[in-house]
Amino acid sequence: MPELKPGSRWKSAVCTTEVIVVKSPGGDVDLRCGGVPMGEPGTEVSGSPADGLADGTALGKRYVDAEETAELLCTKAGDGTLGIGDTPLALKESKPLPASD
């Protein structure tokens, strides 16, 4: 398992998804897309996302784990679901701007 470092880039092996790490929990992390471990940029795409792990990613959106210790920014959309191990990441909700009077 690779160590996730903020600023590092990762590419899916089963779809066109590409991400940049914004925040990392530290240490080795089992980063996956479509149920398959992600690799360095230039990773060849082969196969397809696993059943139930093809919800897709959206360009420019941030994805986080339940504790928000890991955060990824999608730089290229794809068909696979991002996850750490078998746990899918959730789309990070944007914070509302303060009202201006």
Side-chain angles (χ1 to χ4, degrees):
M1 287 182 282
E3 181 178 351
L4 293 186
K5 295 180 182 176
S8 62
R9 295 177 175 268
W10 298 92
K11 184 176 185 320
S12 173
V14 294
C15 68
T16 57
T17 299
E18 292 184 24
V19 297
I20 292 178
V21 177
V22 176
K23 184 166 52 170
S24 171
D28 293 342
V29 177
D30 185 16
L31 181 61
R32 296 174 177 241
C33 183
V36 177
M38 295 184 79
E40 301 286 332
T43 298
E44 291 289 322
V45 175
S46 62
S48 60
D51 291 338
L53 295 173
D55 293 333
T57 54
L59 178 67
K61 298 295 182 183
R62 292 174 184 246
Y63 294 86
V64 294
D65 61 351
E67 297 82 30
E68 293 194 17
T69 58
E71 183 174 332
L72 306 172
L73 172 64
C74 180
T75 58
K76 190 170 183 185
D79 296 329
T81 300
L82 292 170
I84 294 181
D86 293 329
T87 307
L89 298 180
L91 183 64
K92 185 175 182 181
E93 298 296 323
S94 58
K95 295 178 183 176
L97 296 173
S100 60
D101 294 329

